[in-house]
């Protein structure tokens, strides 16, 4: 009984402490893994952005989930870049002789990198969109600058119709 109780106490007390030390010990590998996954996410973002551009060219309305996903990707990328910049400055000069690691900075960076990894993995899983847009209702469909307005289009069609009708009357 005492052995199992001591094991439970050790598990409840020691495991959380060891988990916190992992942020410090594995800081560099966590940041490297984050960097690798950011590259994967950027490729996925480019792929989705190309689909969005094609959908916009086809006068489709972009789905809100896609717009939200792209926004969250940008937020995660910005946060990851601050972590990468922090790794550059995570060393402290000691008497202007030796650069030693700043343990607090490394711990915080390792922790932030580990937390961002779960968000990043979730975004990578969510980024598989078959369709990014849907056909917009006619009233909301946007026209490109090269497309004349509706009134100009009707006027030119009417003038073309008159010219054709006059040409047909002259042939008779």
């Amino acid at each position: 009984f005492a052995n199992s109780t001591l094991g439970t106490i050790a598990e409840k007390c020691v495991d959380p402490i060891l988990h916190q030390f992992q942020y410090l010990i594995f800081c560099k590998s966590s940041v490297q893994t984050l960097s690798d996954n950011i590259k994967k996410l950027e490729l996925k973002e480019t792929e989705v952005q190309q689909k969005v551009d094609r959908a916009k060219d086809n006068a489709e309305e972009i789905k809100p989930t896609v717009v939200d996903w792209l926004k969250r990707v940008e937020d995660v990328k910005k946060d990851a870049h601050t972590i990468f910049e922090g790794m550059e400055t995570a060393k402290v000069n000691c008497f202007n002789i030796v650069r030693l690691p700043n343990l607090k900075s490394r711990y915080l960076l390792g922790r932030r990198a580990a937390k961002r990894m779960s968000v990043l993995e979730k975004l990578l899983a969510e980024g598989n969109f078959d369709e990014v847009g849907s056909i917009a209702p006619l009233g909301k469909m946007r026209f490109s600058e090269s497309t004349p307005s509706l009134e100009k289009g009707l006027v030119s069609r009417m003038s073309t119709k008159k010219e054709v009708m006059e040409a047909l009357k002259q042939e008779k």
Side-chain angles (χ1 to χ4, degrees):
F1 173 76
N3 198 16
S4 67
T5 306
L6 284 175
T8 306
I9 291 173
E11 183 180 313
K12 299 288 184 188
C13 294
V14 174
D15 283 350
I17 294 170
L18 289 177
H19 187 69
Q20 298 301 314
F21 274 108
Q22 286 177 346
Y23 293 138
L24 179 65
I25 296 168
F26 299 115
C27 173
K28 199 170 188 178
S29 65
S30 295
V31 171
Q32 183 59 45
T33 305
L34 181 69
S35 175
D36 295 342
N37 283 346
I38 282 289
K39 289 175 185 170
K40 290 178 188 176
L41 186 65
E42 286 173 339
L43 291 173
K44 178 70 74 178
E45 179 191 25
T46 303
E47 182 181 311
V48 171
Q49 188 61 50
Q50 287 173 348
K51 287 181 180 180
V52 166
D53 293 341
R54 270 187 259 128
K56 284 182 179 178
D57 289 344
N58 291 333
E60 293 181 13
E61 234 176 56
I62 306 305
K63 294 180 179 178
T65 54
V66 176
V67 174
D68 180 56
W69 184 84
L70 287 170
K71 182 184 173 298
R72 288 187 295 145
V73 166
E74 281 304 314
D75 293 344
V76 167
K77 283 174 31 180
K78 285 179 187 172
D79 196 28
H81 287 295
T82 60
I83 292 172
F84 302 147
E85 290 170 3
M87 275 304 285
E88 301 297 321
T89 60
K91 294 189 177 196
V92 174
N93 285 333
C94 183
F95 302 113
N96 290 326
I97 300 171
V98 181
R99 287 182 57 97
L100 298 174
N102 181 341
L103 297 180
K104 181 181 178 186
S105 294
R106 288 180 59 90
Y107 165 77
L108 293 173
L109 288 171
R111 184 171 181 219
R112 280 180 61 196
K115 301 281 184 195
R116 292 301 165 259
M117 281 300 299
S118 63
V119 173
L120 208 138
E121 289 168 354
K122 184 178 173 187
L123 282 173
L124 279 170
E126 290 176 1
N128 297 323
F129 298 105
D130 293 330
E131 293 180 359
V132 295
S134 58
I135 297 174
L138 286 178
K140 292 185 177 181
M141 214 176 263
R142 65 176 180 82
F143 293 100
S144 68
E145 286 75 31
S146 63
T147 306
S149 68
L150 188 59
E151 294 84 20
K152 290 179 185 176
L154 288 176
V155 170
S156 67
R157 287 188 192 131
M158 292 303 289
S159 64
T160 306
K161 179 182 173 188
K162 286 180 185 177
E163 290 173 13
V164 170
M165 293 302 283
E166 288 176 17
L168 287 173
K169 285 180 184 176
Q170 289 176 358
E171 286 181 10
K172 288 185 181 180

